[in-house]
């Protein structure tokens, strides 16, 4: 048999090979002590997004960091999927010595994300960058051991500073830091290291429904546009539906089928040609009838 005939099926198979299912890429991953699973997902080079951009994490050493947070330095420490909340540590804060030249309110760093600061947090009130030297420490505050004029107050429930009983110095800037609690009256750095609780609204997609049907959640390259990947086939909501979505495999299918038909035609032509040649050879070598 000619070598070209043997190579044609292999060539056809190479063109018709379907891309591997993307399910494994979106399986739970580990980063340090944290297992990253839906709705959070780990960004990886060359891999499509596995969830909403707000839940995108990057692994730096042993820290799972929210990619879309202030300077990407909000560390996710523990996730409570059952009540849609997680503990985060803001690594922008002065976690070493407690002295920072410029503080800011963490709520501003959350931007348009679906996360809200839980009311279960307590709050640290920080007065800093006072333009006038404070002759006396403001009532309820402690003077911080920093070069600039700064003071700290262990407050109540997060948000209670709006009802602070007393006048805050107008010559100082105010920053509010949510914390889980206070290990000691003057150990505010430890409070910040323990982190704070964030809550999220339930993501508006059908990922749990997809997973329950045996599929893997999938998103477009911008992290939006939910679909369900079921052993290489893509469905809008869950596995087993009659209507499939168009993906890379189905987009290329007409091209692949056209190439397959062309290959089949070429193979059939070669087989017929060889068959004809074989018949002619046998006719020439038959013994003449008497």
């Amino acid at each position: 048999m000619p070598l070209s005939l043997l190579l044609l099926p292999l060539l056809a198979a190479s063109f018709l090979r379907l891309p591997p299912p993307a399910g494994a890429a979106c399986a739970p991953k580990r980063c340090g002590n944290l297992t990253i699973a839906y709705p959070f997902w780990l960004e990886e080079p060359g891999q499509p997004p596995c969830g909403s951009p707000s839940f995108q994490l990057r692994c730096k050493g042993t820290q799972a960091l929210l990619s879309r947070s202030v300077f990407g330095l909000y560390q996710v420490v523990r996730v409570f999927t059952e009540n849609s909340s997680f503990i985060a540590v803001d690594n922008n804060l002065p976690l070493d010595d407690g002295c920072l030249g410029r503080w800011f309110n963490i709520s501003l760093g959350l931007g348009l994300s679906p996360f809200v600061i839980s009311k279960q947090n307590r709050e640290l009130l920080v007065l800093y960058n006072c333009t006038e030297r404070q002759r006396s420490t403001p009532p309820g505050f402690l003077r911080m051991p920093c070069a600039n004029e700064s003071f700290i107050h262990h407050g109540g429930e997060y948000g209670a500073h709006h009802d602070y009983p007393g006048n805050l110095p107008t010559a100082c800037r105010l920053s509010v830091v949510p914390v889980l609690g206070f290990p000691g009256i003057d150990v505010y750095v430890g409070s910040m290291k323990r982190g704070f609780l964030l809550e999220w609204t339930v993501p508006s997609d059908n990922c749990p429904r997809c997973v329950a049907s045996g599929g893997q959640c999938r998103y477009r390259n911008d992290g939006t546009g939910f679909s369900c990947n079921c052993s290489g086939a893509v469905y809008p909501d869950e596995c087993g539906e009659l209507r499939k979505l168009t993906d890379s495999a189905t987009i290329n299918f007409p091209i692949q089928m056209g190439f397959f038909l062309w290959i089949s035609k070429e193979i059939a032509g070669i087989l017929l040609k060889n068959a004809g040649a074989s018949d002619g050879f046998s006719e020439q070598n038959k013994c003449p009838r008497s």
Side-chain angles (χ1 to χ4, degrees):
M1 182 179 290
L3 179 61
S4 59
L5 186 60
L6 293 173
L7 293 177
L8 283 174
L10 297 177
L11 182 62
S14 67
F15 274 84
L16 294 173
R17 187 181 297 119
L18 296 177
C26 297
K29 303 278 193 311
R30 292 282 295 183
C31 179
N33 295 324
L34 182 69
T35 298
I36 300 173
Y38 178 84
F40 292 92
W41 57 282
L42 184 65
E43 63 179 46
E44 294 180 287
Q47 295 293 338
C50 295
S52 169
S54 297
F55 294 87
Q56 178 179 343
L57 299 177
R58 63 184 178 92
C59 192
K60 183 179 180 182
T62 59
Q63 295 183 344
L65 303 173
L66 277 174
S67 299
R68 299 173 185 254
S69 59
V70 177
F71 302 118
L73 292 177
Y74 282 18
Q75 179 186 355
V76 177
V77 177
R78 189 174 178 185
V79 178
F80 307 97
T81 309
E82 63 279 2
N83 59 7
S84 303
S85 63
F86 65 99
I87 296 175
V89 174
D90 183 4
N91 289 319
N92 295 293
L93 294 173
L95 302 181
D96 294 326
D97 58 5
C99 295
L100 186 66
R102 182 176 181 82
W103 295 71
F104 63 91
N105 290 325
I106 289 179
S107 59
L108 299 178
L110 297 175
L112 300 177
S113 73
F115 309 129
V116 294
I117 299 175
S118 173
K119 292 293 185 181
Q120 296 184 43
N121 293 297
R122 306 292 295 274
E123 61 181 14
L124 289 174
L125 303 184
V126 181
L127 296 175
Y128 68 102
N129 281 4
C130 299
T131 55
E132 299 177 2
R133 181 169 181 80
Q134 302 297 308
R135 296 181 178 179
S136 60
T137 301
F141 281 79
L142 295 174
R143 186 178 294 271
M144 298 171 65
C146 304
N148 60 344
E149 285 284 291
S150 53
F151 308 89
I152 195 163
H153 170 73
H154 294 74
E157 177 186 283
Y158 181 78
H161 63 277
H162 296 293
D163 301 322
Y164 179 74
N167 296 322
L168 296 175
T170 57
C172 302
R173 293 182 178 273
L174 173 66
S175 178
V176 181
V177 180
V179 292
L180 289 174
F182 310 120
I185 189 170
D186 58 348
V187 191
Y188 62 93
V189 175
S191 299
M192 294 188 294
K193 285 183 177 180
R194 291 179 60 195
F196 59 102
L197 189 66
L198 284 169
E199 299 171 348
W200 73 80
T201 54
V202 177
S204 58
D205 62 37
N206 295 318
C207 191
R209 183 175 165 188
C210 169
V211 173
S213 69
Q216 291 281 348
C217 303
R218 178 172 166 178
Y219 299 78
R220 292 197 299 263
N221 288 336
D222 59 356
T224 60
F226 173 80
S227 59
C228 189
N229 183 45
C230 308
S231 300
V234 182
Y235 296 82
D237 298 310
E238 60 182 323
C239 300
E241 293 179 317
L242 296 177
R243 183 170 59 92
K244 292 184 180 180
L245 293 178
T246 300
D247 62 1
S248 58
T250 57
I251 288 174
N252 293 327
F253 182 74
I255 299 174
Q256 295 168 343
M257 182 56 69
F259 180 79
F260 176 75
L261 293 175
W262 178 80
I263 286 289
S264 301
K265 182 179 178 182
E266 291 297 314
I267 293 174
I270 293 174
L271 290 174
L272 289 174
K273 183 178 179 180
N274 289 344
S278 175
D279 290 343
F281 177 81
S282 60
E283 288 292 335
Q284 292 174 4
N285 290 276
K286 284 182 179 179
C287 295
R289 296 180 182 178
S290 57

